[in-house]
């Protein structure tokens, strides 16, 4: 058996299928063609699926898209990826350490992005700012002052992340979040629960839209059914290595699974603060030969090659104020690729997928994961049937549909 944990980023593979899909939409999106959009995202562009999908959707619809993002050691100052101009500002993502170090890193990026936009305020027709934090939207203060519309894209809510990490949230953080939501002309977020929470925190419902974090069918749309054999099973998880995503629980569970299924193996693809603890537990449980740990993040386009044919995808996040309201993108990627999924239960996941589509476990429960893996391994046919039902449900929110919503939203902002 093999469990895969992966986090992925990308640089240019062929997007002919996506281009063909959008070719017929150029005329309909005539107000988008030729507009200049600047996206601001404190992230590594290559490995951030939502930032990339939205930027590339606008580029394919005819917009001129520039993205201001972080720079890794291997990144050039500027590059073009699938029709999007990517400018890597000389700031790298901070990992680990005190909160003050995170704040300094965010501030460095904020100031550079604000400076870039302020010295060329009329170059862009719209500024698209990704959270977290929501306060990054104020980098667009000068363009907004000259009536350039500002779109805030809420991936996660800062107060919930802060609360999950440190407990009590200072008033200044709550105040900053609410002010940011009011400052933006329009807000787009990743699922219905976040939309409701944003409205509860003071944003008018009329300016909050939802574009689900659906995987791109051009990348993830070619599933490959696994070959089931006695005692051998591949389980997969991909994403940033953080404690709240339950990687410690997964490794603890895998140690038990390995005892029951000696042929099992675990593959971990990704990077993040929890890497050191992952390595420690691999050594503690003597799993060196059973666990493959990638040296770092992997490009988004490469994810399917790593997880194709896996038997089970596991999304084992822990319980917390933040994880209580997430719909993990990795879960949707497994589903689109036809991989049976085990996922920690929260009300957001439960509102989109039923227990006949995915196998739910309690957050942080090692025994639940072991039992779920054993149950699916005993009934391969049933596992694949569940995966097909989940795949059918996800098609209601295909990226082809979701990106149309996003492009229409930008078109409406420009028109108004």
């Amino acid at each position: 058996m093999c469990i895969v944990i992966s986090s992925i980023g990308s640089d240019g593979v062929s997007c002919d299928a996506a281009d063909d899909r959008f070719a017929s939409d150029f005329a309909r999106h005539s107000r988008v063609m030729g507009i200049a959009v600047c996206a601001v995202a404190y992230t590594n562009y290559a490995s951030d699926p939502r930032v990339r999908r939205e930027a590339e959707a606008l580029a394919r619809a005819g917009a001129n898209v520039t993205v201001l993002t972080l720079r890794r050691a291997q990144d050039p100052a500027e590059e073009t990826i699938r029709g999007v101009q990517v400018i890597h500002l000389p700031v790298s993502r901070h990992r680990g350490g005190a909160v003050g170090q995170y704040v300094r890193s965010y501030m460095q990026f904020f100031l550079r992005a604000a400076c870039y936009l302020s010295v060329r305020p009329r170059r862009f027709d719209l500024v698209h700012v990704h959270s977290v934090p929501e306060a990054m939207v104020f980098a667009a203060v000068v363009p907004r002052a000259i009536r350039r519309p500002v779109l805030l894209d809420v991936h996660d809510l800062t107060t919930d992340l802060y609360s999950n990490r440190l407990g009590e949230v200072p008033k200044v953080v709550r105040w900053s979040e609410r002010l940011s939501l009011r400052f933006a002309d329009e807000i787009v977020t990743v699922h219905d629960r976040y939309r409701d929470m944003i409205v509860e925190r003071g944003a008018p419902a009329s300016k909050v839209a939802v574009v689900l974090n659906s995987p791109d069918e051009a990348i993830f749309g070619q599933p490959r059914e696994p070959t089931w054999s006695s005692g051998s099973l591949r389980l997969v998880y991909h994403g940033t290595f953080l404690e709240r995503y339950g990687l410690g629980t997964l490794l603890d569970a895998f140690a038990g699974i390995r005892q029951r299924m000696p042929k099992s193996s675990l593959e971990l693809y990704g990077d993040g603060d929890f890497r050191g603890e992952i390595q420690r537990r691999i050594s503690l449980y003597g799993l060196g030969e059973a666990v493959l740990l990638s040296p770092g993040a992997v490009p988004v386009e490469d994810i399917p090659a790593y997880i194709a044919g896996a038997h089970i995808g596991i999304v084992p996040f822990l319980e917390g104020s933040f994880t209580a309201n997430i719909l993990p993108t990795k879960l949707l990627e497994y589903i689109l690729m036809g991989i049976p999924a085990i996922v920690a239960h929260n009300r957001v996941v439960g509102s989109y997928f039923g227990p006949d589509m995915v196998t739910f476990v309690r957050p942080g429960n090692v025994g639940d994961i072991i039992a779920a893996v054993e149950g699916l391994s005993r009934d391969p046919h049933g596992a694949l049937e569940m995966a097909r039902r989940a795949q059918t449900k996800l098609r209601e929110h295909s990226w082809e549909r979701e990106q149309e919503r996003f492009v229409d939203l930008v078109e409406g902002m420009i028109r108004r």
Side-chain angles (χ1 to χ4, degrees), residues 275-291:
R275 173 178 286 271
E277 179 60 19
I278 289 173
Q279 293 170 323
R280 189 189 73 80
R281 295 195 192 201
I282 290 172
S283 176
L284 174 67
Y285 293 127
L287 297 172
E289 294 184 359
V291 178

Side-chain angles (χ1 to χ4, degrees), residues 300-319:
V300 169
E301 291 92 339
D302 294 346
I303 297 177
Y306 283 93
I307 68 176
H311 297 94
I312 301 172
I314 303 184
V315 188
F317 54 81
L318 303 180
E319 190 170 14

